[in-house]
Structures are given as structure tokens and as C-alpha cells.
Amino acid sequence: MKFDDTQISTMQDQTGLQPIPDDNPAMEQLKQAFGEHTFYLDEQGLYVWEWIEGPEADGQPVTAVQIATWADEDKTALQPTEPQVVDAVVKLDPDADDEEDGGGSAA
């Protein structure tokens, strides 16, 4: 899913994560390989976020999905993997009750 500015801000407030900027030279390759998403990197690899059940519910949480891992120890290249849901859940609606914090890392 592609986040809007409010969702990006909420994600950063709740997790400390910052997305790969749209003007990053790698974005075109990422979009071609994985589709239109807001991409996040951490020590384990590349992630996108997906609705757990569907975007129609107010306060519906999203979960991190790892779509690539680092191909080398220097973390200079990524290799695609089978998408894997990780244990990170965030509610993008800051006004929703019972907010969950996904922590400082997607993994």
C-alpha cells in the first residue's frame, strides 16, 4: 500500500521508521519489482505495510510484510523473498482507541 503524508507521519510517530524517499534513485526499480508501495528498510531488509483485514474500517491496523532481505553483509543489495508477515502492527488512525506500537523496527 502507498501511504499518504498523514499515514507516513503516524507511522514515524509510532515506530520511528522513515520511508525510503520517493526521490531515491532506487525507487523506480522497487516500484517495478514490487508495485506501488511506501517502502521501509531496517537491519533485516525491505518492508511494506498491508491492511490486516481491509482499509474500510476506521482505525484498521496495518502489519509489516518483509519482501526482500539483504544480499550481503554490507547491506548494499537486496534480494526478493517470499512475502512474510512479521510481528509488527500499527494503527494508522491516531484517533483510534487502543493503539498498538510496532516498536522501533519492522522486524
Side-chain angles (χ1 to χ4, degrees):
M1 73 185 280
K2 182 76 173 163
F3 289 161
D4 61 28
D5 290 341
T6 301
Q7 292 168 324
I8 289 171
S9 178
T10 300
M11 179 64 66
Q12 186 171 353
D13 289 348
Q14 291 188 35
T15 67
L17 295 173
Q18 295 183 353
I20 298 173
D22 284 336
D23 62 356
N24 184 296
M27 279 304 278
E28 192 57 40
Q29 288 179 307
L30 291 173
K31 289 178 185 178
Q32 287 177 2
F34 302 109
E36 188 72 25
H37 291 278
T38 302
F39 296 97
Y40 289 85
L41 285 171
D42 77 359
E43 293 297 314
Q44 304 303 313
L46 181 69
Y47 297 82
V48 296
W49 293 80
E50 297 292 342
W51 298 110
I52 291 177
E53 293 183 21
E56 64 279 348
D58 287 341
Q60 175 63 41
V62 294
T63 189
V65 179
Q66 185 176 22
I67 57 174
T69 58
W70 291 110
D72 58 14
E73 291 181 19
D74 295 329
K75 297 180 174 68
T76 59
L78 291 163
Q79 61 186 20
T81 62
E82 285 294 318
Q84 179 179 350
V85 175
V86 297
D87 189 22
V89 175
V90 173
K91 286 189 178 178
L92 292 179
D93 181 353
D95 297 324
D97 293 333
D98 191 33
E99 285 186 327
E100 295 181 45
D101 183 10
S105 172

